[in-house]
Amino acid sequence: MPPFAVRFRRFTSLNTTIRLREGKIFVSLSDLIEGAPESVIRAIAHILLAKLYKKSINPSHNVRFKRFTTSAAVTRQTEIIRHARGSKRYSGPQGHFYDLEEVFDSLNLRFFGGLLGRPELTWSEGMAKRSLGHYDAAHNTIVVSRVFDRPSSPRYAIDYLLYHEMLHLKHPVKMRGLRRCVHSREFKADEALFPELREALAFIKRL
């Protein structure tokens, strides 16, 4: 067995890495794992070694690790660490053609009775097409791709995209067993209430 070098690092999430270099195995673990039960540490060791040597992962170890990472205490601590250590670069809500705060306030009155608290709103720094929008719970921020901030983008498209992200505020992520439910049945039902849903999705598909 090759020698091991294991260390805990101040990651912003539950990252774990393993590498074999010059006959030595280097393991880096998030310090969020430090102090975890021995059964969880054994499960992590099994999973990492299986990945390194391209072996199958024992389902019991996989379940044990997922139960740990999805537990309420660890999930909450991960969000706190992400907020404290993570950095978020803002370009602000004011675009060249659309003001995200104006769009948010309009949608808030239209669909939420004006009761939804406004998070940080910002355009992305680049013209991202793979990630058109997302809600970052750790920083309470909605980011919208700047690809929508142009005169050729119909208002209903930006309305739909921001409305979708606002629904994440109303319907937070839930755990169903060991799986994260991002778009619940209630989420999808509210999304279907958007009048120009079909047109917005068609426009987004053409981007």
Side-chain angles (χ1 to χ4, degrees):
M1 182 180 293
F4 280 75
V6 182
R7 63 174 177 171
F8 290 100
R9 302 186 64 182
R10 288 173 54 84
F11 292 137
T12 57
S13 62
L14 284 165
N15 287 351
T16 59
T17 63
I18 186 168
R19 295 181 178 87
L20 178 61
R21 291 178 179 171
E22 299 178 353
K24 189 174 183 179
I25 291 178
F26 296 87
V27 179
S28 294
L29 304 171
S30 167
D31 58 357
L32 287 165
I33 298 173
E34 194 170 8
E38 182 180 348
S39 60
V40 174
I41 298 298
R42 287 181 177 274
I44 295 170
H46 169 86
I47 292 169
L48 289 176
L49 287 171
K51 288 181 177 179
L52 179 65
Y53 290 106
K54 295 181 170 59
K55 303 293 184 180
S56 60
I57 297 175
N58 187 306
S60 64
H61 288 304
N62 203 31
V63 169
R64 185 170 292 113
F65 181 57
K66 283 188 175 181
R67 282 179 178 166
F68 171 76
T69 59
T70 58
S71 66
V74 173
T75 300
R76 176 58 182 158
Q77 186 63 20
T78 302
E79 290 295 324
I80 293 173
I81 292 299
R82 279 189 62 211
H83 182 76
R85 298 177 183 173
S87 60
K88 200 76 177 179
R89 299 180 68 180
Y90 301 107
S91 59
Q94 183 65 55
H96 297 294
F97 299 97
Y98 287 110
D99 180 353
L100 292 177
E101 289 187 348
E102 184 276 320
V103 177
F104 180 96
D105 291 342
S106 174
L107 292 170
N108 197 8
L109 287 172
R110 185 178 170 192
F111 294 101
F112 304 95
L115 299 177
L116 209 61
R118 185 202 287 169
E120 290 284 343
L121 300 167
T122 181
W123 290 102
S124 65
E125 294 193 319
M127 305 287 281
K129 289 188 177 182
R130 292 186 62 184
S131 178
L132 298 177
H134 71 273
Y135 171 62
D136 183 344
H139 295 88
N140 192 31
T141 302
I142 291 178
V143 181
V144 178
S145 173
R146 195 171 287 278
V147 74
F148 284 93
D149 187 30
R150 54 188 180 183
S152 59
S153 296
R155 175 62 183 246
Y156 63 75
I158 183 65
D159 276 354
Y160 163 71
L161 190 68
L162 196 55
Y163 174 66
H164 177 95
E165 300 308 327
M166 291 166 72
L167 287 177
H168 285 297
L169 294 169
K170 181 180 179 181
H171 303 287
V173 175
K174 295 180 180 179
M175 296 303 302
R176 289 183 176 173
L178 300 178
R179 294 188 177 184
R180 297 171 76 248
C181 181
V182 179
H183 300 122
S184 63
R185 183 181 303 174
E186 295 80 8
F187 183 105
K188 292 178 180 178
D190 277 349
E191 184 177 45
L193 297 176
F194 189 78
E196 298 92 358
L197 178 61
R198 183 176 300 178
E199 294 87 344
L201 292 175
F203 175 81
I204 289 172
K205 190 175 182 180
R206 294 194 300 268
L207 287 176

